[in-house]
Amino acid sequence: MTAAAAARQILTRLHDIMASRMHAQGKLDAVVEIIGEALDSEVCSIYLLREGMLELFATRGLNKAAVHVTRMALGEGLTGTLVANNETLNLAEARAHPDFQYRPETGEDKFHSFAGVPIVYRERAVGALNVQHVDPRKYEDVEIEALQTTAMVLSELIGNAELIDEEEVGATEAQTGPVTVEGLSLVSGIAAGHAVYHQPRVTIDQVVAEDIEMERQRVYRAFDKMRDQIDGLSQQAEFGKGGEHEEVLETYKMFAYDEGWSRRINEAIDSGLTAEAAIERVQQRTRMRMREIDDPLLQDRMHDLEDLANRLLRIVSGQLGTAASQGLRRDAILIAKNLGPAELLEYDKRRLKGVILEEGSLTAHVVIVARAMGVPVLGRVRGLRGIVREGDEILLDSDAGTATIRPTPQVAEAFDARFAKTKERQAAYAELRDVEPFTRCGTRIQVLMNAGLRDDMANLPLVGADGVGLFRTEFQFLVSATLPQRERQLRLYRDVLDAAGDKEVTFRTVDIGGDKAVPYLASGEAENDENPAMGWRALRLALEREGLLKAQARALLEAGAGKRLRVMFPMVSEPWEFDAAKQVFDDQLAYLRKQKKLLPDEIQYGAMLEVPALAEVLDLVIPKVSFLSIGTNDLTQFLFAADRANPKLAARYDWVSPAILRFLRRIVQATVGHNIGLGVCGEMGGRKLEALALLGLGIRRLSITPVAVGPIKELVRQVDLKEIEQAMTGFLASPPASLRDALENWAKERGIDTQ
């Protein structure tokens, strides 16, 4: 039996029950019997949320005496867990689950398998629909989908019969005083404005279809309208042509025209659901898949699909109002669970000051677009609907990863002062744009910027960087639906070099794989990596897929025609890897010579030192390279065995610690007397105190985020290298209890601003 047929069989019988004059309890009792029979299930039970506890309301197969007696808290037992997490459970052996709890009054000790789905009402799980069997077995997809469809019908029944407390669902104004929430900085910056919810809740009034063909036609018309909207949005971007955000929109458009998605919605309609319920049904399945996917990039693509589903649901229901369509009447901080790139583009840039998301990640498409728009974004802030009311004043500090809702006058005043000070400092940094960064003792320090998008190159003249010390070529791969062809790569690299003019650009060859996976290059090895950051990624993957590196090598060589080309290979751990990568370029160079193509005037090859093993063979590597660039982000996490994304390990991920600084000093000392360039291209170099330590170790080249160029230039002009070198020698010879505190005090005594 198909999922549609199974659900249709259940819905046909449920329709009569819902239309009957039977009291609510009788309807629930009838529902569990129908589901149990349809799925040949020995147990079917319904739990509902009452007074903050989940209560057994109806059952087939468990002891009837347990009805309205068995209660559990959210997060307690399997049922409490699936409701608290709003997730589906499918277990062959229930007792093996860490959250399993045995309730003797139910008589469930003889049952092994368990499947449960949440009953969702107004976007919140308010109950659970469970089935159990004596024999251990995993439930088929057809059974799970039938349960989920039934749970949607139950939510309508439950709401109409007032079986749950409205306060359990809609207590969105529980907090009225000031509160500060924390999240993940996705796009840096600070902003102030009033809370605007991106998406009013879409209410589905009818779940069961009266006329299936009519519902199908409603969906077809909605798809046509949605696709027209997406096509129109791609022509409305206000921040220039040719940027990677256009590739983001192309990928987004690909989802809008995906036949598989529309087919799944049609199948849900075939099961007997209305158009609205069918879209929501498929959307629930998408959310389930998102929870099962560990790959952050694929999760982000699923977010794009959910964004489209929300748009389609609003169209088909006629509930079209969003904050964007209604217009922003004052400075706004946008609040959303998640946001798609197309939806962000609908907002007035003059009024949209910031975005706060309940979800979101650094690789999300919307983040790339927000960065291009210059809008700060704070993500992974949980429970916003229970904290923020429409119109609340919000002070967003994405730099610090916080947002203050309904601030006190004193907090608002302090924020305004900081905002004004930030503007003043930015103006002061702007004045340093054309000033060369010489130290007090007269040494010229190279301050370059990192980039990864075509649009980033506009920052080069604005901040006065010496060039681009790290151009991350993988961004083009991450935002593309398919492998970027050589011609597209060539256009990007040529545009970047043209924008740089006489200033240098160092291109890092593609660093994908691991935690930067792309679906079109999926491999069994990468998918099974338990430690993606240390897995099959970067140069390892590129050397395995020689065609990938060949295409990039040729694109870079052709783009650099008549210019100096700098190429850097990521994650080199042994000398032979550098040799193999350079050989790919040499082969392409020979091919282009035969074709009588114009070639670069000079080519410099370098390696990123981010794998500690490479430091042990520097004597073998140095003769081969023109330059080395220390990638402090990966190097530090490898050295400390501390994942930088894990908040529990944040204290161990310290750049101003004797271990990492001594390690870096060894690298500097190993290059003394050799004619190679040495620099740092990680986040460490963009922080004032850390940059001060690097100068004391002998680092004279820093490649950092554009926003950090001004502050680091200011720092350089305050430093005497002999003084800081002597201080660092002392600190590392006999480390103080806190080297960070000692260095801060040393700088303060000399009037050096490290904040």
Side-chain angles (χ1 to χ4, degrees):
M1 184 185 296
T2 66
R8 183 71 182 273
Q9 185 182 49
I10 294 172
L11 287 183
T12 300
R13 298 179 65 185
L14 287 183
H15 184 270
D16 295 336
I17 290 175
M18 292 179 65
S20 73
R21 296 191 177 188
M22 193 185 308
H23 58 82
Q25 182 65 57
K27 289 181 179 180
L28 292 180
D29 291 338
V31 166
V32 294
E33 292 295 334
I34 288 172
I35 298 169
E37 290 173 14
L39 298 185
D40 193 25
S41 175
E42 291 151 327
V43 173
C44 180
S45 305
I46 295 173
Y47 288 81
L48 298 180
L49 195 62
R50 293 283 286 182
E51 299 177 352
M53 299 287 286
L54 285 164
E55 183 177 313
L56 178 62
F57 259 68
T59 187
R60 172 191 195 251
L62 299 182
N63 290 338
K64 294 288 186 181
V67 173
H68 300 301
V69 173
T70 297
R71 305 182 81 208
M72 62 193 71
L74 288 175
E76 181 183 3
L78 297 179
T79 300
T81 296
L82 74 88
V83 173
N85 297 334
N86 196 3
E87 66 180 358
T88 294
L89 289 180
N90 184 356
L91 308 171
E93 182 52 73
R95 294 174 183 271
H97 194 282
D99 293 320
F100 174 82
Q101 284 190 8
Y102 172 57
R103 291 302 182 91
E105 73 275 10
T106 65
E108 61 183 348
D109 51 301
K110 61 183 177 181
F111 302 107
H112 291 267
S113 57
F114 174 95
V117 300
I119 300 170
V120 179
Y121 181 69
R122 293 187 180 177
E123 298 183 347
R124 184 179 171 190
V126 295
L129 173 63
N130 303 340
V131 292
Q132 295 169 265
H133 277 82
V134 171
D135 296 331
R137 71 177 184 91
K138 274 271 190 178
Y139 291 83
E140 301 292 334
D141 285 347
V142 60
E143 296 173 294
I144 297 297
E145 292 185 16
L147 283 175
Q148 290 173 325
T149 302
T150 307
M152 291 187 66
V153 179
L154 282 174
S155 70
E156 181 181 342
L157 166 64
I158 289 163
N160 292 338
E162 299 181 352
L163 289 172
I164 54 172
D165 297 329
E166 285 293 315
E167 307 88 66
E168 300 284 354
V169 180
T172 60
E173 299 191 10
Q175 299 196 44
T176 57
V179 60
T180 297
V181 295
E182 296 183 351
L184 175 67
S185 176
L186 300 179
V187 179
S188 61
I190 64 174
H194 295 272
V196 172
Y197 273 98
H198 163 65
Q199 192 176 50
R201 181 183 291 115
V202 174
T203 303
I204 299 177
D205 296 321
Q206 186 174 352
V207 175
V208 181
E210 299 288 347
D211 184 335
I212 286 179
E213 193 54 41
M214 184 182 72
E215 298 301 324
R216 196 185 322 281
Q217 293 303 317
R218 291 177 65 216
V219 164
Y220 286 154
R221 290 193 297 270
F223 261 105
D224 289 341
K225 187 171 183 178
M226 181 194 69
R227 289 163 177 167
D228 288 343
Q229 289 180 356
I230 299 302
D231 290 341
L233 278 172
S234 63
Q235 306 299 320
Q236 296 173 12
E238 299 179 5
F239 40 85
K241 300 291 182 182
E244 270 67 22
H245 48 271
E246 289 189 357
E247 295 176 12
V248 167
L249 290 177
E250 284 302 314
T251 303
Y252 192 73
K253 189 187 296 186
M254 178 190 71
F255 278 120
Y257 284 87
D258 178 51
E259 292 299 325
W261 183 40
S262 59
R263 184 183 66 253
R264 288 190 292 274
I265 293 174
N266 264 305
E267 289 172 352
I269 290 175
D270 286 340
S271 72
L273 295 176
T274 61
E276 292 90 341
I279 296 166
E280 176 63 23
R281 167 71 192 80
V282 174
Q283 195 171 13
Q284 286 180 1
R285 180 64 176 165
T286 300
R287 294 185 189 118
M288 263 187 64
R289 291 180 60 195
M290 284 167 59
R291 291 191 180 95
E292 296 167 357
I293 294 172
D294 293 327
D295 182 343
L297 185 75
L298 291 179
Q299 283 184 337
D300 293 335
R301 300 302 81 83
M302 298 300 284
H303 286 315
D304 289 348
L305 188 56
E306 179 160 2
D307 170 27
L308 283 168
N310 290 335
R311 181 181 292 268
L312 187 66
L313 185 57
R314 290 198 301 274
I315 292 171
V316 80
S317 67
Q319 301 175 47
L320 300 175
T322 67
S325 61
Q326 295 166 6
L328 301 177
R329 290 181 289 276
R330 53 183 175 175
D331 290 352
I333 303 295
L334 191 64
I335 308 294
K337 180 177 182 181
N338 219 312
L339 202 63
E343 292 191 315
L344 184 65
L345 289 173
E346 292 179 325
Y347 284 91
D348 182 351
K349 281 172 56 181
R350 296 167 298 181
R351 292 293 191 190
L352 182 63
K353 299 302 179 182
V355 177
I356 303 178
L357 302 175
E358 286 193 278
E359 297 177 354
S361 74
L362 289 165
T363 55
H365 278 169
V366 71
V367 171
I368 294 171
V369 174
R371 189 182 295 112
M373 293 173 65
V375 176
V377 181
L378 184 67
R380 299 187 189 176
V381 182
R382 301 299 185 191
L384 285 170
R385 282 201 176 270
I387 300 172
V388 183
R389 300 167 303 180
E390 188 86 19
D392 278 344
E393 183 181 1
I394 297 180
L395 307 178
L396 173 60
D397 185 352
S398 189
D399 294 339
T402 64
T404 301
I405 297 99
R406 301 176 295 274
T408 63
Q410 295 84 355
V411 170
E413 184 178 344
F415 186 88
D416 290 342
R418 184 185 163 208
F419 196 86
K421 187 175 181 181
T422 298
K423 291 293 185 184
E424 289 176 9
R425 297 193 76 164
Q426 287 174 346
Y429 296 147
E431 291 180 3
L432 294 174
R433 181 183 61 187
D434 299 322
V435 175
E436 292 189 69
F438 282 94
T439 62
R440 281 173 43 211
C441 55
T443 302
R444 177 67 158 85
I445 304 298
Q446 282 187 290
V447 181
L448 306 101
M449 73 175 211
N450 299 333
L453 300 171
R454 184 184 280 105
D455 294 347
D456 290 344
M457 297 305 294
N459 290 315
L460 191 56
L462 293 178
V463 301
D466 289 320
V468 178
L470 168 63
F471 190 90
R472 301 180 175 98
T473 62
E474 63 269 12
F475 280 15
Q476 186 182 34
F477 291 74
L478 292 174
V479 301
S480 179
T482 58
L483 181 68
Q485 297 301 306
R486 180 177 57 82
E487 292 76 12
R488 276 178 58 199
Q489 295 183 52
L490 171 60
R491 286 196 300 271
L492 171 63
Y493 306 151
R494 186 175 284 159
D495 289 348
V496 169
L497 288 168
D498 288 345
D502 295 333
K503 295 185 176 182
E504 73 168 67
V505 178
T506 300
F507 291 98
R508 182 176 72 184
T509 58
V510 63
D511 181 0
I512 54 176
D515 55 356
K516 289 185 278 189
V518 289
Y520 53 82
L521 283 181
S523 67
E525 296 91 342
E527 290 170 358
N528 295 322
D529 273 346
E530 292 186 6
N531 296 296
M534 294 187 286
W536 204 247
R537 53 167 280 215
L539 191 59
R540 298 167 180 175
L541 184 148
L543 289 174
E544 178 191 51
R545 297 177 180 269
E546 196 173 336
L548 172 78
L549 193 56
K550 277 183 179 179
Q552 184 170 40
R554 186 170 161 192
L556 283 166
L557 290 168
E558 289 191 70
K563 301 178 180 179
R564 184 178 68 162
L565 178 66
R566 287 171 58 90
V567 177
M568 178 166 62
F569 303 121
M571 208 174 177
V572 178
S573 55
E574 298 184 66
W576 71 263
E577 291 175 320
F578 175 86
D579 294 337
K582 185 175 179 297
Q583 187 61 53
V584 174
F585 275 76
D586 288 342
D587 292 344
Q588 292 304 302
L589 196 61
Y591 171 80
L592 292 172
R593 282 200 182 100
K594 288 181 181 178
Q595 300 296 313
K596 300 189 184 302
K597 295 280 189 178
L598 186 62
L599 300 173
D601 293 340
E602 179 187 0
I603 307 174
Q604 295 181 347
Y605 296 100
M608 282 197 73
L609 199 163
E610 46 196 335
V611 179
L614 191 64
E616 301 301 325
V617 288
L618 280 180
D619 59 317
L620 304 177
V621 174
I622 286 173
K624 302 172 182 288
V625 300
S626 297
F627 61 92
L628 282 170
S629 191
I630 303 171
T632 52
N633 292 355
D634 269 337
L635 177 64
T636 306
Q637 73 172 348
F638 293 155
L639 201 61
F640 286 112
D643 183 354
R644 54 195 168 110
N646 188 335
K648 291 185 177 181
L649 297 173
R652 302 190 182 197
Y653 193 82
D654 184 10
W655 282 310
V656 187
S657 70
I660 186 66
L661 293 177
R662 282 182 172 182
F663 191 88
L664 294 175
R665 184 177 60 178
R666 283 176 50 208
I667 297 170
V668 173
Q669 290 172 344
T671 62
V672 172
H674 297 277
N675 186 28
I676 69 164
L678 176 66
V680 164
C681 62
E683 187 182 344
M684 180 180 182
R687 301 187 178 196
K688 281 190 167 184
L689 189 70
E690 284 82 346
L692 179 63
L694 290 171
L695 293 174
L697 297 179
I699 297 293
R700 301 291 180 261
R701 175 187 169 94
L702 302 169
S703 187
I704 54 186
T705 59
V707 72
V709 170
I712 295 304
K713 275 189 173 185
E714 181 185 66
L715 171 77
V716 167
R717 289 160 53 83
Q718 298 173 345
V719 175
D720 183 297
L721 291 177
K722 289 183 180 179
E723 289 183 358
I724 185 58
E725 286 174 352
Q726 184 177 4
M728 288 303 299
T729 298
F731 288 147
L732 295 184
S734 181
S738 171
L739 204 160
R740 178 175 291 276
D741 291 344
L743 187 57
E744 283 180 346
N745 292 334
W746 182 92
K748 189 180 296 184
E749 290 170 0
R750 287 156 183 79
I752 300 174
D753 181 12
T754 58
Q755 299 303 311

